[in-house]
Amino acid sequence: MNKLIIKFSGFILALLVPCLLFAQTIEEVIVTAQKREQSLQDVSVAITAFSGDEINVFGMVDAWDIAMHTPNMAMTGFYDYSRVEIVMRGISLNNLFGSIDQPPVAVYQDEVYVGARAALSQMFDLERVEVLRGPQGTLYGRNTTGGAVNFIANKPSEEPNLTGSFTYGRYDQVGGEIAGNMPLSDTLAIRAAGVYRTSDGWAHNQFDGSTANGHDNYAGRIMLSWKPNSNIDALLTVHGSSAESDTPAIHALGYGNFEPNDLLPFAGVFYQEDPDFHTFSNDQPGFEDNETFGLAANIKWNVGNVTMTTIFSYDEHDTVLHEDTDGTPYDMFTIDYADEFESWSFEQRAAGNAEGGPLQGLDWVIGFNYYEDETVTANDTRFFFDPVLAPLDFLPLSFEGFSNYTQDGSVWALFADFRYPLAEKFAFNGGVRYTDEEKDFDWELSDNYGSLFLVDETESWDAFTGRAGLEWTPTEDLLFYANYSRGFKSGGFNGVVLSPPPPGFSLPNVSFDPEFIDAYEIGMKSSWLDNRLIINASMFRNDLKDQQFLVVLPGIIFQIDNAAASTVDGIELEMQFRPVEGLYIQFGLGLLDAEFDEFIDADGASHAGNPLPATSDVNLNGVVQYTLPLGGMGTLTPRFEFTHYSEQNYDRFGKNRIDSLLGYHITPKVDIQEAYEVFNASLTWRSVDEKYSLMAWIRNLSDEEYVYKTIGNNADALKGIGGATSFHAPPRTYGVTFRFDY
């Protein structure tokens, strides 16, 4: 048997070696994750990068799609675009309601911080997307305890070109994207890009026969580049977008298994949830409308061997959101959100490399950053406005709460980062940042019974963050690194209280303090077989202190507090392989052990040992594609993709929920997403000159039923009461996409 195995292995190797000799190499990816251009394989930070071509092939249209192909990254939210939160390496705020509570994973668009949570609506005409995992407290600053995501648009160039695409798919999904580049002179060039995407809904409303989860989105961007000489590169950007969606609150009553439920038995109100996963019954349509506008200037100029960079930006964002929170055919509980957000920022930095003297080889960046924003919010919460509930005169009938506030924030920071070669194969990375921040909160909380709370508070915080790391490069294709980094997330105010507290309860803490993270990571980046095989891996530990977390108090009171401390241990592996000509294999693995070390709830209950929300112990992703040459007719490429997430809990209880009144254990199935897999497939024809392509695609091939987020209200397994409001992922979709590139 052993001889047979050896002979078979030799036979396979004999076939493989010639193929490897002629197989394509994997393209080098250039990133700007450390504020200067570097090869992805030379950066001692865990990064997943997607090129513009990969974004098109994956069919990525928004940030939800990125998470499906990045180790230890997830997206969570109740809506398509409003209050979306990125979860990185188990770190999140778990707050999907407040407009001023910024998540611990920061988003940047062409080096500009995106402060509005609902501004992730459109991805189009991108050069690449960079996902940085782990704290980025030196170069990126606060609100990056989990990581950062950079969206980099295609820039104007000296060559005229026109690219575009058209998509049609199931549920009347129609999409069109176009981008054009035109030189105006020897020094000026302009690029304009736009996108329009619309679809009918795939969720069916039994109440009135309508559909939901449809979209009507468009966005545009104009970029003007000026390069008067080799030392100056100036870029002006103007952009705007509109994202509308009819998003329902899909409600699972009772134990979460859709059994008949006495909604309010003492009023004779009964309701049976439909067993179909994509069916709901809302008496009011849920919708969201997000509008953005912004402009930015990015100027780079060289002074000797030093590159100076000046960035100025202005952004505004408006959100209107209506939610039928109870998810039933009765007018029991609705929330209206309205937010107006605007911000501006300024950054000045210098970067260079010492070419001589005792610091020869020192690669450095120093800079100053200032950021300011204002959020004006009006929330309207309504209870028991349905006439069927009128006999309940012992309940607070037609209760309505109003939460109106304005928050003004400003922050400035000084930072420095460097890489210094210690010897031929060793280098030291280090950096430090000082941040000073102030927020002013003016809040009015009232209801239709005359209760009134007025708050006007100002808080300020400052912090030192930074990193230190060691690199070892035994060969030009192999990099080992070990890093320590410290980061922090801003303190803030509790703007998610939707109504005054009920009698006997006091107003929750108005403000909360920053959270801090100490992160330790070792990693490897490697290229093999003449760059036909890339294997990158990392192992990390994150210690979070004063962790901010959303807790729900009696009444509709959502409070963010420094309630927790956590430890997150994890492993990540990413591989790209071109074993033979035409064949491409990609694989990603994320392993997490993420638990609360401490968590004392408002009622004194401890949740220590429970898993962090929206976190899977195991997540996998992969791609296999093979390009078949068709001679003079171009190429044909079948492609298969998969994503796997193990079980996720969506609140702080895990599986240890206790009934607060009777004290017995509850199995909260409504707050748990079981393990699931998503499979996508496509078949692409591309012309010989690569100017045209036609792709037939299927997403969620197996029609998997899963949720992006669910939140329960102490659903009782024994009594069959309570429930959960959920945001469901779409069913199987399919269609075709035509692309051209002149």
Side-chain angles (χ1 to χ4, degrees):
M1 177 62 72
N2 290 338
K3 290 182 179 180
L4 184 61
I5 292 174
I6 293 172
K7 287 182 179 180
F8 179 75
S9 301
F11 175 72
I12 294 298
L13 187 61
L15 290 177
L16 256 176
V17 169
C19 296
L20 284 170
L21 293 175
F22 296 100
Q24 289 179 295
T25 60
I26 297 172
E27 261 186 60
E28 182 184 36
V29 178
I30 302 298
V31 297
T32 53
Q34 295 190 316
K35 307 295 186 181
R36 50 230 193 236
E37 289 190 353
Q38 296 171 288
S39 170
L40 174 65
Q41 294 301 104
D42 293 336
V43 182
S44 55
V45 175
I47 303 174
T48 298
F50 302 94
S51 68
D53 288 341
E54 286 180 306
I55 291 168
N56 291 334
V57 172
F58 275 117
M60 294 178 175
V61 296
D62 53 39
W64 296 92
D65 299 316
I66 299 171
M68 303 290 283
H69 303 284
T70 303
N72 287 331
M73 179 181 177
M75 297 287 293
T76 184
F78 281 130
Y79 323 103
D80 276 325
Y81 309 115
S82 306
R83 277 62 161 175
V84 172
E85 183 172 359
I86 300 173
V87 184
M88 196 84 74
R89 291 183 170 179
I91 299 174
S92 70
L93 181 62
N94 199 43
N95 176 19
L96 307 172
F97 305 99
S99 59
I100 57 175
D101 311 307
Q102 294 164 331
V105 179
V107 174
Y108 287 80
Q109 175 69 57
D110 292 318
E111 300 189 76
V112 173
Y113 176 63
V114 179
R117 293 186 62 177
L120 295 179
S121 57
Q122 302 290 331
M123 285 174 56
F124 65 101
D125 193 36
L126 293 178
E127 177 184 323
R128 68 185 180 278
V129 174
E130 302 172 358
V131 181
L132 287 66
R133 299 188 296 278
Q136 308 296 322
T138 305
L139 290 170
Y140 293 86
R142 78 209 211 292
N143 300 338
T144 58
T145 50
V149 181
N150 296 330
F151 295 88
I152 297 98
N154 283 313
K155 306 300 188 294
S157 67
E158 299 174 355
E159 297 294 329
N161 78 305
L162 182 68
T163 63
S165 67
F166 176 80
T167 294
Y168 181 78
R170 189 184 185 188
Y171 304 109
D172 284 334
Q173 178 181 341
V174 177
E177 182 177 339
I178 192 165
N181 190 83
M182 179 63 67
L184 303 178
S185 69
D186 291 341
T187 60
L188 281 174
I190 190 170
R191 185 175 186 87
V195 64
Y196 176 71
R197 298 185 179 108
T198 183
S199 70
D200 293 341
W202 44 261
H204 176 68
N205 190 351
Q206 286 188 316
F207 180 79
D208 58 9
S210 64
T211 59
N213 285 111
H215 311 278
D216 189 11
N217 305 338
Y218 59 86
R221 183 191 305 120
I222 297 175
M223 309 181 86
L224 182 66
S225 172
W226 180 50
K227 299 179 181 179
N229 54 56
S230 59
N231 290 320
I232 298 177
D233 186 350
L235 183 69
L236 176 66
T237 303
V238 180
H239 63 87
S241 70
S242 173
E244 299 180 4
S245 177
D246 43 9
T247 309
I250 298 180
H251 202 70
L253 287 165
Y255 191 32
N257 295 328
F258 305 103
E259 71 277 5
N261 181 274
D262 294 343
L263 187 62
L264 290 173
F266 38 78
V269 178
F270 302 92
Y271 171 54
Q272 181 173 350
E273 191 90 0
D274 190 277
D276 187 276
F277 188 75
H278 301 303
T279 298
F280 65 103
S281 188
N282 288 13
D283 62 298
Q284 300 185 38
F287 65 85
E288 56 180 304
D289 186 357
N290 297 281
E291 310 285 338
T292 72
F293 170 78
L295 55 87
N298 188 315
I299 305 168
K300 292 181 172 63
W301 73 96
N302 297 324
V303 181
N305 65 343
V306 176
T307 299
M308 307 293 293
T309 301
T310 302
I311 302 173
F312 172 82
S313 73
Y314 170 80
D315 288 283
E316 59 185 43
H317 184 96
D318 296 335
T319 295
V320 177
L321 174 63
H322 176 74
E323 176 188 286
D324 185 355
T325 311
D326 60 82
T328 72
Y330 302 99
D331 188 1
M332 294 175 56
F333 181 15
T334 62
I335 305 176
D336 287 284
Y337 303 90
D339 308 318
E340 295 180 359
F341 173 91
E342 63 178 357
S343 67
W344 72 272
S345 67
F346 171 80
E347 180 165 307
Q348 179 64 59
R349 67 176 188 262
N353 186 280
E355 297 181 350
L359 298 179
Q360 181 174 350
L362 177 69
D363 190 7
W364 56 270
V365 178
I366 59 172
F368 168 80
N369 178 275
Y370 181 81
Y371 172 84
E372 186 174 294
D373 64 20
E374 180 182 69
T375 304
V376 180
T377 291
N379 296 331
D380 183 353
T381 309
R382 293 158 49 95
F383 292 92
F384 304 120
F385 272 74
D386 199 301
V388 74
L389 304 175
L392 305 181
D393 54 5
F394 53 88
L395 289 178
L397 299 179
S398 302
F399 176 81
E400 189 166 11
F402 307 94
S403 178
N404 302 317
Y405 57 80
T406 298
Q407 177 177 279
D408 294 291
S410 63
V411 56
W412 63 269
L414 295 169
F415 60 91
D417 188 79
F418 66 91
R419 179 183 183 276
Y420 182 64
L422 300 175
E424 182 180 354
K425 297 181 179 181
F426 291 89
F428 178 78
N429 288 291
V432 65
R433 188 183 188 103
Y434 174 75
T435 303
D436 187 282
E437 181 170 15
E438 181 175 287
K439 291 181 180 179
D440 180 76
F441 189 58
D442 186 3
W443 188 28
E444 179 183 290
L445 190 64
S446 61
D447 62 27
N448 60 326
Y449 290 102
S451 301
L452 179 66
F453 290 85
L454 295 175
V455 174
D456 186 359
E457 289 195 9
T458 300
E459 294 282 355
S460 61
W461 309 272
D462 64 336
F464 280 98
T465 54
R467 67 167 184 152
L470 187 65
E471 294 179 7
W472 176 42
T473 312
T475 71
E476 63 179 8
D477 296 324
L478 192 58
L479 166 68
F480 293 97
Y481 63 88
N483 291 332
Y484 163 78
S485 57
R486 181 170 175 82
F488 88 106
K489 184 183 175 300
S490 297
F493 293 96
N494 270 303
V496 292
V497 179
L498 301 177
S499 66
F505 294 92
S506 60
L507 196 68
N509 296 331
V510 175
S511 65
F512 51 89
D513 294 327
E515 75 175 25
F516 290 87
I517 183 172
D518 291 295
Y520 311 86
E521 181 173 338
I522 58 174
M524 174 195 74
K525 294 194 173 182
S526 63
S527 301
W528 310 86
L529 303 174
D530 292 329
N531 211 41
R532 296 185 185 97
L533 173 64
I534 289 178
I535 300 176
N536 296 337
S538 61
M539 181 182 300
F540 58 88
R541 162 165 284 197
N542 294 331
D543 290 328
L544 290 104
K545 304 297 182 185
D546 296 323
Q547 187 175 1
Q548 299 167 8
F549 206 82
L550 180 73
V551 295
V552 182
L553 303 178
I556 309 303
I557 298 179
F558 301 91
Q559 174 180 317
I560 298 176
D561 203 355
N562 301 95
S566 302
T567 300
V568 181
D569 295 319
I571 294 174
E572 293 163 353
L573 173 68
E574 293 183 285
M575 183 196 74
Q576 299 176 69
F577 190 28
R578 292 189 179 274
V580 297
E581 186 70 21
L583 178 61
Y584 175 72
I585 300 171
Q586 180 179 308
F587 176 76
L589 166 67
L591 302 176
L592 283 178
D593 180 9
E595 294 183 349
F596 290 117
D597 297 325
E598 303 172 11
F599 196 131
I600 304 300
D601 220 332
D603 59 2
S606 174
H607 305 297
N610 289 348
L612 297 183
T615 298
S616 295
D617 291 342
V618 180
N619 63 92
L620 304 168
N621 67 82
V623 174
V624 178
Q625 73 174 40
Y626 188 77
T627 300
L628 300 165
L630 302 178
M633 298 178 63
T635 60
L636 192 65
T637 304
R639 179 182 174 95
F640 179 79
E641 306 165 5
F642 74 91
T643 301
H644 166 82
Y645 285 99
S646 63
E647 181 182 272
Q648 301 176 45
N649 294 275
Y650 284 111
D651 65 15
R652 62 195 183 279
F653 295 97
K655 294 185 177 180
N656 299 312
R657 189 191 290 271
I658 303 297
D659 184 277
S660 58
L661 295 178
L662 302 180
Y664 55 75
H665 180 80
I666 297 173
T667 304
K669 285 190 175 182
V670 292
D671 293 327
I672 296 175
Q673 169 60 56
E674 303 293 340
Y676 67 92
E677 293 81 30
V678 179
F679 302 97
N680 302 328
S682 65
L683 182 65
T684 302
W685 170 83
R686 195 181 303 272
S687 64
V688 174
D689 57 9
E690 298 190 348
K691 289 184 177 180
Y692 306 98
S693 69
L694 181 65
M695 179 171 64
W697 48 265
I698 302 176
R699 308 195 74 182
N700 194 2
L701 181 64
S702 61
D703 208 18
E704 185 81 355
E705 297 178 350
Y706 62 101
V707 301
Y708 290 126
K709 175 68 178 180
T710 180
I711 185 169
N713 59 355
N714 209 32
D716 191 324
L718 298 182
K719 296 181 179 179
I721 61 174
T725 304
S726 305
F727 181 33
H728 290 198
R732 180 191 301 117
T733 56
Y734 44 80
V736 293
T737 298
F738 171 75
R739 297 187 183 277
F740 64 87
D741 185 353
Y742 295 116

CSV table of all heavy atoms in Angstrom, one decimal, residues 79 81-83 99 118 243-247 285-291 317-323 335-341 376 378-379:
chain,number,residue,atom,x,y,z
A,79,TYR,N,-31.7,47.1,9.8
A,79,TYR,CA,-32.1,47.8,8.6
A,79,TYR,C,-31.0,47.6,7.6
A,79,TYR,O,-29.9,47.2,7.8
A,79,TYR,CB,-32.3,49.3,9.0
A,79,TYR,CG,-32.9,49.5,10.3
A,79,TYR,CD1,-32.1,50.0,11.4
A,79,TYR,CD2,-34.2,49.3,10.6
A,79,TYR,CE1,-32.6,50.2,12.6
A,79,TYR,CE2,-34.7,49.5,11.8
A,79,TYR,CZ,-33.9,49.9,12.9
A,79,TYR,OH,-34.4,50.1,14.1
A,81,TYR,N,-29.4,50.0,5.7
A,81,TYR,CA,-28.3,51.0,5.7
A,81,TYR,C,-28.3,51.8,7.0
A,81,TYR,O,-27.2,52.4,7.4
A,81,TYR,CB,-28.5,51.9,4.6
A,81,TYR,CG,-28.7,51.2,3.2
A,81,TYR,CD1,-29.8,51.3,2.5
A,81,TYR,CD2,-27.7,50.4,2.8
A,81,TYR,CE1,-30.0,50.6,1.3
A,81,TYR,CE2,-27.8,49.7,1.6
A,81,TYR,CZ,-29.0,49.8,0.9
A,81,TYR,OH,-29.2,49.1,-0.3
A,82,SER,N,-29.3,51.9,7.8
A,82,SER,CA,-29.4,52.8,9.0
A,82,SER,C,-28.9,52.0,10.2
A,82,SER,O,-29.3,50.8,10.4
A,82,SER,CB,-30.8,53.3,9.2
A,82,SER,OG,-31.3,53.9,8.1
A,83,ARG,N,-28.0,52.6,11.0
A,83,ARG,CA,-27.5,51.9,12.2
A,83,ARG,C,-26.8,50.6,12.0
A,83,ARG,O,-26.9,49.7,12.8
A,83,ARG,CB,-28.7,51.7,13.2
A,83,ARG,CG,-29.1,52.9,14.1
A,83,ARG,CD,-29.6,54.0,13.3
A,83,ARG,NE,-30.4,54.9,14.2
A,83,ARG,CZ,-30.9,56.0,13.8
A,83,ARG,NH1,-30.7,56.5,12.6
A,83,ARG,NH2,-31.6,56.8,14.7
A,99,SER,N,-28.1,57.1,17.0
A,99,SER,CA,-27.4,57.7,15.8
A,99,SER,C,-26.1,58.3,16.2
A,99,SER,O,-25.3,58.6,15.4
A,99,SER,CB,-28.3,58.9,15.3
A,99,SER,OG,-28.6,59.8,16.3
A,118,ALA,N,-25.0,55.6,8.9
A,118,ALA,CA,-25.9,55.1,7.8
A,118,ALA,C,-25.3,55.5,6.5
A,118,ALA,O,-26.0,55.5,5.5
A,118,ALA,CB,-27.3,55.7,8.0
A,243,ALA,N,-30.4,56.3,-0.6
A,243,ALA,CA,-30.7,54.9,-0.4
A,243,ALA,C,-32.0,54.8,0.3
A,243,ALA,O,-32.1,55.2,1.5
A,243,ALA,CB,-29.6,54.3,0.4
A,244,GLU,N,-33.0,54.3,-0.4
A,244,GLU,CA,-34.3,54.1,0.2
A,244,GLU,C,-34.6,52.6,0.2
A,244,GLU,O,-34.3,51.8,-0.7
A,244,GLU,CB,-35.4,54.8,-0.7
A,244,GLU,CG,-35.2,56.3,-0.7
A,244,GLU,CD,-36.3,56.9,-1.6
A,244,GLU,OE1,-37.2,56.2,-2.0
A,244,GLU,OE2,-36.2,58.2,-1.8
A,245,SER,N,-35.3,52.1,1.3
A,245,SER,CA,-35.6,50.7,1.5
A,245,SER,C,-36.9,50.6,2.3
A,245,SER,O,-37.1,51.4,3.2
A,245,SER,CB,-34.4,50.0,2.2
A,245,SER,OG,-34.7,48.6,2.4
A,246,ASP,N,-37.7,49.6,1.9
A,246,ASP,CA,-38.9,49.3,2.7
A,246,ASP,C,-38.5,48.1,3.6
A,246,ASP,O,-38.7,47.0,3.1
A,246,ASP,CB,-40.1,49.1,1.9
A,246,ASP,CG,-39.9,48.3,0.7
A,246,ASP,OD1,-38.8,47.7,0.5
A,246,ASP,OD2,-40.8,48.2,-0.2
A,247,THR,N,-38.1,48.4,4.8
A,247,THR,CA,-37.6,47.3,5.7
A,247,THR,C,-38.6,47.0,6.7
A,247,THR,O,-38.8,47.9,7.6
A,247,THR,CB,-36.2,47.7,6.3
A,247,THR,OG1,-35.3,48.2,5.3
A,247,THR,CG2,-35.6,46.6,7.0
A,285,PRO,N,-46.2,50.2,7.1
A,285,PRO,CA,-45.0,49.9,6.3
A,285,PRO,C,-43.7,50.4,7.0
A,285,PRO,O,-43.7,51.6,7.4
A,285,PRO,CB,-45.3,50.5,5.0
A,285,PRO,CG,-46.2,51.7,5.3
A,285,PRO,CD,-47.0,51.2,6.5
A,286,GLY,N,-42.7,49.6,7.1
A,286,GLY,CA,-41.4,50.1,7.6
A,286,GLY,C,-40.6,50.6,6.4
A,286,GLY,O,-40.7,50.1,5.3
A,287,PHE,N,-39.9,51.7,6.6
A,287,PHE,CA,-39.1,52.3,5.6
A,287,PHE,C,-37.9,53.0,6.1
A,287,PHE,O,-37.9,53.4,7.3
A,287,PHE,CB,-39.9,53.2,4.6
A,287,PHE,CG,-40.4,54.4,5.3
A,287,PHE,CD1,-39.6,55.6,5.4
A,287,PHE,CD2,-41.7,54.5,5.9
A,287,PHE,CE1,-40.1,56.7,6.0
A,287,PHE,CE2,-42.1,55.6,6.5
A,287,PHE,CZ,-41.3,56.8,6.6
A,288,GLU,N,-36.9,53.2,5.3
A,288,GLU,CA,-35.8,54.1,5.6
A,288,GLU,C,-35.3,54.9,4.4
A,288,GLU,O,-35.4,54.4,3.3
A,288,GLU,CB,-34.6,53.2,6.2
A,288,GLU,CG,-34.1,52.2,5.3
A,288,GLU,CD,-33.0,51.4,5.9
A,288,GLU,OE1,-32.0,52.0,6.2
A,288,GLU,OE2,-33.1,50.1,6.0
A,289,ASP,N,-34.9,56.1,4.7
A,289,ASP,CA,-34.5,57.0,3.6
A,289,ASP,C,-33.2,57.7,4.1
A,289,ASP,O,-33.2,58.4,5.1
A,289,ASP,CB,-35.6,58.0,3.3
A,289,ASP,CG,-35.2,58.9,2.1
A,289,ASP,OD1,-34.1,58.7,1.5
A,289,ASP,OD2,-36.0,59.7,1.7
A,290,ASN,N,-32.1,57.4,3.4
A,290,ASN,CA,-30.8,58.0,3.7
A,290,ASN,C,-30.2,58.8,2.6
A,290,ASN,O,-30.1,58.3,1.4
A,290,ASN,CB,-29.8,56.8,4.0
A,290,ASN,CG,-30.2,56.0,5.2
A,290,ASN,OD1,-30.0,56.4,6.4
A,290,ASN,ND2,-30.8,54.8,4.9
A,291,GLU,N,-29.9,60.1,2.9
A,291,GLU,CA,-29.4,61.0,1.9
A,291,GLU,C,-28.0,61.5,2.3
A,291,GLU,O,-27.9,61.9,3.5
A,291,GLU,CB,-30.3,62.2,1.7
A,291,GLU,CG,-31.8,61.8,1.4
A,291,GLU,CD,-32.0,61.3,0.0
A,291,GLU,OE1,-31.2,61.6,-0.9
A,291,GLU,OE2,-33.0,60.6,-0.2
A,317,HIS,N,-25.4,64.1,6.3
A,317,HIS,CA,-26.2,62.9,6.1
A,317,HIS,C,-27.5,63.1,6.8
A,317,HIS,O,-27.6,63.5,8.0
A,317,HIS,CB,-25.4,61.7,6.7
A,317,HIS,CG,-26.1,60.4,6.4
A,317,HIS,ND1,-25.8,59.6,5.4
A,317,HIS,CD2,-27.1,59.8,7.1
A,317,HIS,CE1,-26.6,58.5,5.4
A,317,HIS,NE2,-27.4,58.6,6.5
A,318,ASP,N,-28.6,62.7,6.1
A,318,ASP,CA,-30.0,62.8,6.7
A,318,ASP,C,-30.6,61.4,6.7
A,318,ASP,O,-30.5,60.7,5.6
A,318,ASP,CB,-30.8,63.8,6.0
A,318,ASP,CG,-30.3,65.2,6.1
A,318,ASP,OD1,-29.6,65.5,7.1
A,318,ASP,OD2,-30.6,66.0,5.2
A,319,THR,N,-31.2,61.0,7.8
A,319,THR,CA,-31.9,59.7,7.8
A,319,THR,C,-33.3,59.9,8.3
A,319,THR,O,-33.5,60.6,9.3
A,319,THR,CB,-31.2,58.8,8.8
A,319,THR,OG1,-29.9,58.5,8.2
A,319,THR,CG2,-31.9,57.5,8.9
A,320,VAL,N,-34.3,59.3,7.7
A,320,VAL,CA,-35.6,59.2,8.2
A,320,VAL,C,-36.0,57.7,8.2
A,320,VAL,O,-35.8,57.0,7.2
A,320,VAL,CB,-36.6,59.9,7.3
A,320,VAL,CG1,-38.1,59.7,7.8
A,320,VAL,CG2,-36.3,61.4,7.2
A,321,LEU,N,-36.4,57.2,9.3
A,321,LEU,CA,-36.6,55.8,9.5
A,321,LEU,C,-37.9,55.5,10.3
A,321,LEU,O,-38.1,56.1,11.4
A,321,LEU,CB,-35.4,55.2,10.3
A,321,LEU,CG,-35.5,53.7,10.7
A,321,LEU,CD1,-35.5,52.8,9.5
A,321,LEU,CD2,-34.3,53.4,11.5
A,322,HIS,N,-38.8,54.7,9.7
A,322,HIS,CA,-40.0,54.3,10.4
A,322,HIS,C,-40.0,52.8,10.7
A,322,HIS,O,-39.8,52.0,9.7
A,322,HIS,CB,-41.3,54.7,9.6
A,322,HIS,CG,-42.5,54.3,10.3
A,322,HIS,ND1,-43.1,54.9,11.4
A,322,HIS,CD2,-43.4,53.2,10.0
A,322,HIS,CE1,-44.2,54.3,11.7
A,322,HIS,NE2,-44.4,53.3,10.9
A,323,GLU,N,-40.3,52.4,11.9
A,323,GLU,CA,-40.2,51.0,12.3
A,323,GLU,C,-41.5,50.6,12.9
A,323,GLU,O,-41.9,51.2,13.9
A,323,GLU,CB,-39.0,50.8,13.2
A,323,GLU,CG,-38.9,49.4,13.7
A,323,GLU,CD,-37.8,49.3,14.8
A,323,GLU,OE1,-36.7,49.3,14.5
A,323,GLU,OE2,-38.2,49.2,16.0
A,335,ILE,N,-41.7,53.2,16.1
A,335,ILE,CA,-40.7,54.2,16.4
A,335,ILE,C,-40.4,54.9,15.1
A,335,ILE,O,-40.3,54.3,14.0
A,335,ILE,CB,-39.4,53.6,16.9
A,335,ILE,CG1,-39.7,52.7,18.1
A,335,ILE,CG2,-38.4,54.6,17.3
A,335,ILE,CD1,-38.4,52.0,18.6
A,336,ASP,N,-40.3,56.2,15.2
A,336,ASP,CA,-39.9,57.1,14.1
A,336,ASP,C,-38.6,57.8,14.5
A,336,ASP,O,-38.5,58.4,15.5
A,336,ASP,CB,-40.9,58.1,13.7
A,336,ASP,CG,-42.1,57.6,13.0
A,336,ASP,OD1,-42.0,57.3,11.8
A,336,ASP,OD2,-43.2,57.4,13.7
A,337,TYR,N,-37.6,57.6,13.6
A,337,TYR,CA,-36.3,58.2,13.9
A,337,TYR,C,-36.1,59.3,12.8
A,337,TYR,O,-36.4,59.0,11.6
A,337,TYR,CB,-35.1,57.2,13.8
A,337,TYR,CG,-35.2,56.0,14.7
A,337,TYR,CD1,-35.8,54.8,14.3
A,337,TYR,CD2,-34.5,56.1,15.9
A,337,TYR,CE1,-35.8,53.7,15.1
A,337,TYR,CE2,-34.6,54.9,16.8
A,337,TYR,CZ,-35.2,53.8,16.3
A,337,TYR,OH,-35.2,52.7,17.2
A,338,ALA,N,-35.5,60.4,13.1
A,338,ALA,CA,-35.1,61.4,12.2
A,338,ALA,C,-33.8,62.0,12.6
A,338,ALA,O,-33.7,62.5,13.7
A,338,ALA,CB,-36.2,62.5,12.0
A,339,ASP,N,-32.7,61.9,11.8
A,339,ASP,CA,-31.4,62.4,12.1
A,339,ASP,C,-30.9,63.3,11.1
A,339,ASP,O,-31.0,63.1,9.9
A,339,ASP,CB,-30.4,61.2,12.3
A,339,ASP,CG,-30.9,60.1,13.2
A,339,ASP,OD1,-31.5,60.5,14.3
A,339,ASP,OD2,-30.8,58.9,12.8
A,340,GLU,N,-30.2,64.4,11.5
A,340,GLU,CA,-29.5,65.2,10.6
A,340,GLU,C,-28.0,65.3,11.1
A,340,GLU,O,-27.8,65.7,12.3
A,340,GLU,CB,-30.1,66.6,10.6
A,340,GLU,CG,-31.5,66.7,10.0
A,340,GLU,CD,-32.0,68.1,9.9
A,340,GLU,OE1,-31.3,69.0,10.4
A,340,GLU,OE2,-33.2,68.3,9.4
A,341,PHE,N,-27.1,65.0,10.3
A,341,PHE,CA,-25.7,64.8,10.7
A,341,PHE,C,-24.8,65.6,9.7
A,341,PHE,O,-25.0,65.6,8.5
A,341,PHE,CB,-25.3,63.4,10.7
A,341,PHE,CG,-23.8,63.1,10.9
A,341,PHE,CD1,-23.3,62.9,12.2
A,341,PHE,CD2,-22.9,63.1,9.9
A,341,PHE,CE1,-22.0,62.7,12.4
A,341,PHE,CE2,-21.5,62.9,10.1
A,341,PHE,CZ,-21.1,62.7,11.4
A,376,VAL,N,-28.3,66.1,15.0
A,376,VAL,CA,-29.6,66.6,15.6
A,376,VAL,C,-30.6,65.5,15.3
A,376,VAL,O,-30.8,65.0,14.2
A,376,VAL,CB,-30.1,67.9,14.9
A,376,VAL,CG1,-31.5,68.3,15.4
A,376,VAL,CG2,-29.1,69.0,15.0
A,378,ALA,N,-34.5,63.5,16.3
A,378,ALA,CA,-35.9,63.6,16.9
A,378,ALA,C,-36.4,62.2,16.8
A,378,ALA,O,-36.6,61.7,15.7
A,378,ALA,CB,-36.7,64.6,16.2
A,379,ASN,N,-36.7,61.5,17.9
A,379,ASN,CA,-37.3,60.2,17.9
A,379,ASN,C,-38.7,60.2,18.5
A,379,ASN,O,-38.9,60.9,19.6
A,379,ASN,CB,-36.4,59.2,18.8
A,379,ASN,CG,-35.1,59.0,18.2
A,379,ASN,OD1,-34.9,59.1,17.0
A,379,ASN,ND2,-34.1,58.8,19.1
